Amino acid sequence: MISKTTISAILLFSILVFSCKKTYFTSDSSVVINEFLPVNNITIADQNGEFDDWIELFNLSSASVNLSGYFLSDDKKEPGKWKFPQGTSIAGNSYLIIWADGDTTETGLHANFKLSSSGEDVVLSDPSKEKLDKISYPAQPLELSYARVPNGTGEFKWQTPTYNRTNGSK
């Protein structure tokens, strides 16, 4: 006879494995949501020494892209939640980090929302609020990032965070 503990472990494992097969949407945009960390207690601190959630964008093209007026959100029903400031750009084949800490008074790119460890959406939209990229992610209590592997184009998976560098690298 199988114990309740074994059944619970199998059920939890199944939920984790199948919940990571979430769908995501990506347009023909050269800028994509590449990685994000919804639980950051020790991985990397912002310029003020605070361990906040972060979102990493990646520019697949070799040309710089002006993100002035673009939006990030954690709610697909409210795609215009946080607007990139004027003068924000992402260099070709480069990363851009946005701190999702709800503190827009700090220097740098700090969105007016936080990511939920219970799971939700991350949405990148153009100035007309048309979705360019949207990822739905499941609950994650551990300090793992949800990242595209291979970098910029692949399926999303939970991994050790690779802040500002190629996903899947150590």
Side-chain angles (χ1 to χ4, degrees):
M1 177 148 223
I2 300 175
S3 72
K4 287 182 181 180
T5 304
T6 303
I7 292 172
S8 295
I10 292 169
L11 180 60
L12 179 61
F13 177 76
S14 297
I15 289 169
L16 286 173
V17 168
F18 292 111
S19 68
C20 289
K21 299 293 183 193
K22 295 290 181 186
T23 59
Y24 59 92
F25 164 83
T26 302
S27 70
D28 291 332
S29 172
S30 63
V31 178
V32 297
I33 299 166
N34 195 49
E35 180 178 10
F36 50 91
L37 184 64
V39 179
N40 181 17
N41 297 310
I42 59 171
T43 298
I44 189 89
D46 68 9
Q47 75 281 354
N48 295 322
E50 299 168 344
F51 290 88
D52 296 315
D53 306 338
W54 49 265
I55 300 165
E56 176 187 86
L57 302 182
F58 183 67
N59 183 353
L60 295 163
S61 78
S62 58
S64 180
V65 175
N66 182 354
L67 295 174
S68 299
Y70 281 59
F71 296 93
L72 264 181
S73 181
D74 63 345
D75 184 348
K76 64 184 173 191
K77 294 179 182 173
E78 191 181 344
K81 202 167 194 180
W82 180 75
K83 189 176 187 177
F84 282 87
Q86 279 301 114
T88 304
S89 64
I90 182 171
N93 299 308
S94 295
Y95 305 96
L96 182 67
I97 303 295
I98 300 89
W99 297 98
D101 60 1
D103 190 354
T104 58
T105 63
E106 291 188 38
T107 302
L109 300 176
H110 290 263
N112 60 355
F113 59 88
K114 296 180 180 188
L115 298 178
S116 173
S117 63
S118 300
E120 63 183 344
D121 297 315
V122 178
V123 182
L124 174 65
S125 301
D126 69 13
S128 66
K129 298 183 184 167
E130 184 176 326
K131 271 187 271 180
L132 299 176
D133 202 1
K134 179 187 87 66
I135 293 85
S136 298
Y137 67 95
Q140 174 52 282
L142 305 174
E143 193 140 345
L144 295 173
S145 67
Y146 207 41
R148 291 181 194 271
V149 179
N151 197 53
T153 59
E155 296 283 326
F156 274 85
K157 71 174 202 166
W158 292 109
Q159 68 167 27
T160 301
T162 55
Y163 178 91
N164 216 19
R165 48 180 221 274
T166 302
N167 295 341
S169 65
K170 303 259 176 187

